[in-house]
Amino acid sequence: MTSKAIRDDAKVLVTGGCGFIGSNFVRFALENRPGWSIINLDCLSYSGNLENLTDIEDDPRYEFVKGDIRNMEDVEPLVKRCDAVIHFAAESHVDRSILDAGPFITSNVQGTQVMLDAVRRVKSDGGKAPVFFFVGTDEVYGSLPLDQPELMFTEETPIQPRGVYSASKAGADLLVQAYHETFGLDTRTTRCSNNFGPYQFPEKVIPLFVTNLIEGQQVPLYGDGLNVRDWLHVDDHCEAIIAVLEKGAAGSIYNVGGNNERTNLELTHLIIELMGKGKDMIRHVEDRLGHDRRYAIDPTRLKGEIGWQPTRSAWPEALEETVKWYVDHPDWWKRVKSGAYREYYEKQYAGR
Ligand SMILES: NC(=O)c1ccc[n+]([C@@H]2O[C@H](COP(=O)([O-])OP(=O)(O)OC[C@H]3O[C@@H](n4cnc5c(N)ncnc54)[C@H](O)[C@@H]3O)[C@@H](O)[C@H]2O)c1
């Protein structure tokens, strides 16, 4: 382990800061690292929503730049200005990757290569290259069987993605490890389990189900509902990222998870109960193609070496709090569901 890798007054480039985890991270970091300043590079794809950050958009420590991680001209000037890059930007929805693989390859694989090359250029020009932090996923490890609950993903588990999204994230993840080995870049990688919390795009299961129930619609549950996911509150993920950035070694990889495995059926029943509805609101639909059966993360390395512990993911209270956030913020999700959120960029940034 090295001493603290970045300064207390670091300039941090966040990619994808208008998405679910990125926007929670920007807010979390400004609150918890008051000396940092943050540049948020986001192309505002369908899941990028500037309204996720209206509360901090005038903070002098924060700057938004509309740009694409696939364009070196957008990326390089920003990478040159910063001490660390935290790379969230990606296409993130498995169902969309089944419909169209193209954006997953260009944004997740090629976009990560452009980001890494920008860091590499700073290094080869003799400058101080920023730390490159890759926000990865447990889905790169593939799928575990239901009948061997003792099996969990460790950092030594082979990368064996089974879907387009996970394959594209695995491609990016392996490029990060290659740039560390080949060019000596100071990289950090986390592979995290499913996140929940506020500002998640309502195509993902928790906000989709809550908002459907508010609108009196049934919730579509894939297959037998027995697929297992390991749920972690987004703020626990944000805390793990900062901890690994500050305390992790160059080239290190950490699994992040809350030992909080739930079947989709269990999750659905709990959401329905929290919303005061009946099980007749479940609509069983044909299973997702290639649906991974079970993900389970072993976070022992992160806990032992870095001293991280999840503190906000306790179940069912943390889920109840998240459900309540969507119930209390109809303006936010109604604008997302109607598409109105996309007008915000013009309103806020036109003429600036
Ligand atoms: N959501 C989870 O449970 C989870 C778990 C583990 C890891 N991750 C990873 O965390 C990251 C963020 O996930 P999320 O759920 O917040 O996703 P999201 O879809 O909510 O946000 C993605 C953001 O990236 C931006 N983006 C996409 N392509 C871009 C491009 N070419 N250039 C610039 N910006 C671009 C989008 O506009 C959006 O703001 C992803 O890398 C994802 O793989 C997510």
Side-chain angles (χ1 to χ4, degrees):
M1 210 188 297
T2 58
S3 61
K4 211 168 180 183
I6 69 162
R7 303 193 319 250
D8 290 339
D9 62 347
K11 197 160 202 58
V12 176
L13 174 63
V14 166
T15 69
C18 294
F20 162 48
I21 307 178
S23 62
N24 277 285
F25 181 83
V26 169
R27 183 176 295 102
F28 186 92
L30 289 175
E31 261 170 42
N32 290 281
R33 291 295 178 273
W36 284 14
S37 51
I38 295 182
I39 308 170
N40 170 14
L41 172 68
D42 197 302
C43 72
L44 301 181
S45 77
Y46 79 93
S47 69
N49 182 355
L50 275 172
E51 293 182 353
N52 292 355
L53 288 171
T54 44
D55 54 328
I56 57 103
E57 69 191 0
D58 294 324
D59 190 315
R61 298 169 299 160
Y62 172 73
E63 178 185 349
F64 170 68
V65 177
K66 187 170 188 289
D68 197 311
I69 56 166
R70 292 166 288 193
N71 292 337
M72 186 57 93
E73 305 76 53
D74 291 351
V75 167
E76 193 175 14
L78 303 179
V79 167
K80 278 185 176 159
R81 287 168 57 197
C82 67
D83 304 299
V85 178
I86 308 188
H87 181 41
F88 293 94
E91 289 290 332
S92 66
H93 191 39
V94 175
D95 288 347
R96 287 180 188 257
S97 77
I98 294 168
L99 293 172
D100 182 6
F104 288 76
I105 304 309
T106 61
S107 283
N108 299 6
V109 185
Q110 187 198 336
T112 302
Q113 171 246 314
V114 171
M115 294 299 308
L116 287 163
D117 275 339
V119 177
R120 191 184 152 204
R121 280 188 189 184
V122 178
K123 188 174 160 76
S124 55
D125 289 348
K128 183 169 179 338
V131 176
F132 187 85
F133 197 111
F134 179 68
V135 181
T137 168
D138 63 350
E139 302 194 24
V140 298
Y141 295 121
S143 180
L144 295 167
L146 288 184
D147 59 0
Q148 287 172 277
E150 72 285 1
L151 290 183
M152 302 186 96
F153 299 137
T154 72
E155 292 82 357
E156 273 66 50
T157 302
I159 304 283
Q160 282 182 321
R162 298 172 68 256
V164 174
Y165 164 69
S166 51
S168 69
K169 288 294 289 186
D173 189 317
L174 292 172
L175 278 177
V176 174
Q177 313 321 321
Y179 274 63
H180 169 68
E181 295 294 338
T182 311
F183 306 113
L185 297 195
D186 181 345
T187 61
R188 317 288 155 89
T189 300
T190 47
R191 298 178 184 145
C192 189
S193 61
N194 279 41
N195 284 209
F196 65 97
Y199 300 104
Q200 188 168 29
F201 200 83
E203 64 185 351
K204 305 279 171 70
V205 61
I206 294 174
L208 176 73
F209 282 15
V210 174
T211 59
N212 271 15
L213 290 169
I214 296 172
E215 292 179 317
Q217 292 174 31
Q218 286 184 304
V219 300
L221 182 64
Y222 282 135
D224 60 11
L226 297 182
N227 302 60
V228 172
R229 299 294 182 261
D230 181 353
W231 289 95
L232 185 76
H233 192 275
V234 63
D235 282 348
D236 281 331
H237 187 187
C238 294
E239 187 151 70
I241 291 170
I242 293 181
V244 171
L245 182 66
E246 291 179 342
K247 299 183 196 158
S252 56
I253 300 173
Y254 291 96
N255 283 348
V256 188
N259 296 108
N260 184 30
E261 290 179 53
R262 310 283 158 185
T263 65
N264 289 344
L265 192 62
E266 202 181 337
L267 173 72
T268 306
H269 284 166
L270 186 50
I271 291 173
I272 283 179
E273 192 189 312
L274 289 168
M275 297 292 296
K277 306 281 182 183
K279 290 185 182 155
D280 57 316
M281 293 307 281
I282 300 176
R283 183 164 61 90
H284 290 273
V285 297
E286 197 181 322
D287 207 357
R288 168 189 277 169
L289 293 177
H291 203 174
D292 287 341
R293 208 53 169 152
R294 172 174 170 252
Y295 303 138
I297 273 282
D298 178 353
T300 304
R301 180 186 286 176
L302 180 63
K303 290 182 173 178
E305 290 182 12
I306 303 290
W308 171 88
Q309 287 287 344
T311 57
R312 303 164 186 87
S313 302
W315 205 264
E317 297 80 5
L319 180 68
E320 185 170 2
E321 188 194 57
T322 291
V323 167
K324 188 171 177 319
W325 189 87
Y326 291 101
V327 171
D328 291 345
H329 292 81
D331 290 349
W332 180 84
W333 59 261
K334 282 186 177 164
R335 287 175 62 75
V336 178
K337 280 193 159 179
S338 74
Y341 72 106
R342 306 205 79 158
E343 296 155 14
Y344 190 82
Y345 178 75
E346 274 305 305
K347 196 175 116 220
Q348 185 66 14
Y349 289 92
R352 276 198 178 188

